[in-house]
Amino acid sequence: MLHDRDIAQLLARLCPMHLAVDEQGRVMHIGPTLAKLLPDKRKEDACLFDLIEVRRPSGVCDMNALLARQRQKLSLRLRGHGGHAFKGVFVAVPGQGGILDLSFGIAIMDGVRDFELSASDFAVTDLAIEMLYLIEAKSAAMEVSRKLNQRLQGAKIAAEEQAFTDTLTGLKNRRAVDHVLPRLIDRGEAVTLMQVDLDFFKAVNDTHGHPAGDHVLQSVAHVLVQETRQGDCVARVGGDEFVIILVGEVDEAAVAHIAQRLIERIEAPIRWRGDTCEISASIGIATNAFGSGDTGETLWARADTALYAAKNGGRGRFRMA
Amino acid sequence: MHGLINRAIQCFVQDNYGFDRWQSMCFAAGLDEVEFEAMLHYEDELTDQLLDMVSAALKSPRDTVLEDIGTYLVSHPNVEALRRLLRFGGETFVDFLNSLEELPDRARLAVDDLVLPQLDVREVDPHHFRLTCRFPRPGFGHVAVGILRTLADDYGALVFLEHNGVLAGAEEIDITLIETAFAKGRSFEIGARAV
């Protein structure tokens, strides 16, 4: 049967990666695509096992072993082609040897590229071309999605850079203060700027770790919001530095009262996972309420100086400029 | 409309005429958006607005713009991946023509929410094919003409194309195959990766 030219041509068309052997394992004919993959010499008349190595199941290195494994899925490798793996199946033809049919399996992409195959090298019914199409189409779609993700990531970073919110505490941030303060002053509003700087905060971080430090900052933020009015601006402007802008005329005694309450509440021990964190705060205050003619910058500088004085006077105090 | 379609219009203009030209067109047309995302969806009307805008700005009839977009899609190096995907349709131009009916399904394999026009190819005789193109919005047939004309070159075939207009709700294109192996065409290796 295998000597029949018609059968050989039929197989060449239907299974272009087949190989027909006689009972001794001698190659009778080779499908046109598989022939392209084999080294030039030693094709027909060669022994099957000199051309191809059966990797799985193990121990298939002669015709008897191969016959015993017929119709099973085989993992194979072409000798003389480092790395190229194939899958295949052997079907015996009683008394005449048999047919080994190969496929690239999952390694199709590398196989096609390395052996410069084209669509006509595959059987018309083979899904290889669809598979290649799909790999390429999916990579192209994935590339477009990847670019979209990159742009979204960029937009997110840009949005964060433009944000007015401190993500840890939910308070306003430095950028918000820089935006709001000059506008309030330009509008002729009376503003009182309180610079609140935490004392002993570094010790919390050093002793209890950064999660404890974050918790303390959040607790302080909570106090600052509770002790101020809705229209006031409360911001975290540095690691442990906060700013409160009181909007409208507030007399000195009321400001002093607020500052004192803030310090007392910030000094209250803060629980953290069974530990207690204790900090304090120094506050420097400056106001343009009485026609000081301050700009945002000078007001800020005066509050800074007052804060410095408060720190120098011992922690846990406030000073008015 | 799928973002890929608006994106194609944008890339056609910016790859051929520069991003500044595209941006100034969009500004002049009062569009909020200048960058279209390929993987998002947009209102259908916006696509019409874009086409009218490009047509006015390039002082070129809308049908011509659509055909030029078709040509761009399969010839510009920036969109080489698309040309390759189409060439998977067949080894010869006739194979390719016969594969056009699969195009919407093939597109869905890659991008599952992309709806393309329904394409039907009928072989009138071995040298004469008729492509009908059904889509809620007419005009895609002109894109198809641009694609077919350029891909015929790509395959090395010599063809004559005629858009017959809209008949019974479908655009109809006559394809006359003068010679299948007129020139060598561009090479296409299935294993070469475009991206």
Side-chain angles (χ1 to χ4, degrees):
Chain A
M1 163 203 172
L2 291 180
H3 302 287
D4 190 331
R5 286 286 333 139
D6 293 340
I7 296 286
Q9 281 179 4
L10 197 76
L11 279 173
R13 194 79 192 124
L14 293 176
C15 314
M17 286 178 67
H18 83 280
L19 190 141
V21 292
D22 67 11
E23 286 178 288
Q24 283 73 48
R26 211 163 44 89
V27 175
M28 314 274 300
H29 55 81
I30 299 178
T33 304
L34 184 57
K36 282 191 182 181
L37 313 188
L38 293 169
D40 287 337
K41 46 192 174 178
R42 300 183 313 158
K43 278 185 189 168
E44 307 211 348
D45 285 341
C47 173
L48 166 68
F49 297 97
D50 290 337
L51 297 179
I52 289 169
E53 173 197 356
V54 181
R55 300 182 60 228
R56 298 272 185 286
S58 55
V60 181
C61 40
D62 58 36
M63 277 310 282
N64 284 337
L66 187 60
L67 282 165
R69 297 291 190 172
Q70 74 153 321
R71 293 167 197 261
Q72 290 182 17
K73 180 183 158 187
L74 306 172
S75 291
L76 312 115
R77 192 143 60 186
L78 296 191
R79 295 193 190 276
H81 279 285
H84 281 103
F86 295 83
K87 63 177 188 174
V89 64
F90 180 75
V91 180
V93 179
Q96 296 188 62
I99 309 287
L100 177 67
D101 193 26
L102 300 186
S103 154
F104 282 104
I106 201 73
I108 179 83
M109 196 81 207
D110 297 330
V112 165
R113 192 190 45 223
D114 295 349
F115 296 109
E116 296 178 358
L117 300 181
S118 70
S120 58
D121 289 319
F122 294 94
V124 174
T125 49
D126 193 328
L127 287 176
I129 301 303
E130 278 77 4
M131 175 97 165
L132 293 173
Y133 168 83
L134 199 54
I135 292 169
E136 202 160 316
K138 280 291 176 199
S139 321
M142 194 75 92
E143 178 65 12
V144 172
S145 285
R146 203 179 56 79
K147 283 186 181 147
L148 171 61
N149 281 338
Q150 274 177 346
R151 279 194 295 273
L152 290 179
Q153 178 71 11
K156 181 169 170 271
I157 290 167
E160 276 170 3
E161 281 169 1
Q162 290 166 15
F164 281 168
T165 305
D166 171 48
T167 48
L168 177 66
T169 60
L171 298 179
K172 297 275 187 289
N173 61 13
R174 175 91 195 210
R175 171 192 288 276
V177 173
D178 290 344
H179 180 82
V180 164
L181 188 59
R183 281 170 178 74
L184 285 171
I185 291 172
D186 272 2
R187 230 162 55 199
E189 295 272 3
V191 292
T192 302
L193 185 73
M194 305 176 78
Q195 287 224 50
V196 182
D197 198 275
L198 302 187
D199 298 320
F200 317 117
F201 176 71
K202 191 172 174 294
V204 173
N205 267 342
D206 290 348
T207 317
H208 303 286
H210 284 280
D214 288 350
H215 175 69
V216 165
L217 291 172
Q218 286 164 343
S219 305
V220 169
H222 188 63
V223 168
L224 299 189
V225 170
Q226 278 191 333
E227 293 297 327
T228 51
R229 300 160 301 177
Q230 190 129 41
D232 298 331
C233 167
V234 183
R236 176 168 166 246
V237 296
D240 58 352
E241 297 161 39
F242 296 82
V243 156
I244 298 171
I245 303 170
L246 302 175
V247 184
E249 290 205 6
V250 185
D251 68 49
E252 215 172 286
V255 174
H257 179 71
I258 294 170
Q260 193 55 49
R261 268 194 63 83
L262 285 175
I263 292 169
E264 279 165 20
R265 289 199 56 190
I266 289 170
E267 284 181 346
I270 298 164
R271 307 285 299 165
W272 168 251
R273 292 189 184 158
D275 282 333
T276 304
C277 307
E278 290 191 48
I279 56 161
S280 183
S282 301
I283 304 179
I285 305 164
T287 181
N288 74 346
F290 311 106
S292 69
D294 274 298
T295 64
E297 264 173 52
T298 59
L299 194 65
W300 194 289
R302 289 205 294 124
D304 246 354
T305 310
L307 173 64
Y308 188 69
K311 288 257 184 201
N312 274 348
R315 311 289 161 107
R317 291 157 194 257
F318 69 90
R319 283 280 185 283
M320 299 215 198
Chain B
M1 190 70 74
H2 200 283
L4 268 170
I5 293 177
N6 292 353
R7 181 80 189 167
I9 299 170
Q10 177 191 339
C11 289
F12 160 72
V13 174
Q14 73 186 32
D15 287 347
N16 284 324
Y17 306 94
F19 180 74
D20 291 348
R21 185 85 189 270
W22 167 252
Q23 197 173 37
S24 60
M25 274 183 206
C26 291
F27 288 164
L31 292 181
D32 296 332
E33 282 170 287
V34 172
E35 284 281 349
F36 291 90
E37 288 298 345
M39 288 296 163
L40 301 180
H41 284 261
Y42 297 91
E43 292 295 324
D44 285 356
E45 288 67 30
L46 185 57
T47 306
D48 279 329
Q49 207 185 336
L50 287 180
L51 289 171
D52 288 338
M53 168 188 101
V54 175
S55 163
L58 299 180
K59 297 187 177 62
S60 182
R62 187 168 156 146
D63 292 352
T64 309
V65 168
L66 287 165
E67 188 175 327
D68 289 349
I69 290 175
T71 300
Y72 160 80
L73 286 176
V74 285
S75 60
H76 199 280
N78 287 2
V79 280
E80 168 70 7
L82 186 62
R83 170 207 166 237
R84 283 188 54 82
L85 291 176
L86 286 169
R87 284 281 310 243
F88 271 104
E91 279 195 278
T92 66
F93 187 65
V94 173
D95 281 351
F96 166 75
L97 283 180
N98 285 317
S99 78
L100 279 176
E101 295 183 350
E102 294 175 0
L103 192 64
D105 289 334
R106 280 177 174 269
R108 257 202 306 281
L109 273 182
V111 182
D112 60 9
D113 57 352
L114 175 60
V115 180
L116 287 186
Q118 186 196 331
L119 301 171
D120 289 298
V121 180
R122 195 161 60 83
E123 186 177 324
V124 180
D125 64 57
H127 294 282
H128 188 195
F129 294 80
R130 180 164 289 167
L131 172 68
T132 52
C133 174
R134 268 170 229 280
F135 202 49
R137 286 169 187 260
F140 190 88
H142 293 283
V143 179
V145 170
I147 290 175
L148 290 176
R149 210 187 289 289
T150 312
L151 271 187
D153 278 355
D154 210 286
Y155 276 103
L158 185 61
V159 300
F160 179 75
L161 297 164
E162 194 170 11
H163 192 294
N164 296 336
V166 182
L167 297 160
E171 289 176 81
E172 194 180 271
I173 297 152
D174 276 335
I175 304 155
T176 309
L177 205 55
I178 298 161
E179 195 160 349
T180 49
F182 176 71
K184 194 164 175 292
R186 281 175 69 189
S187 78
F188 173 66
E189 289 164 25
I190 55 174
R193 277 167 227 199
V195 286

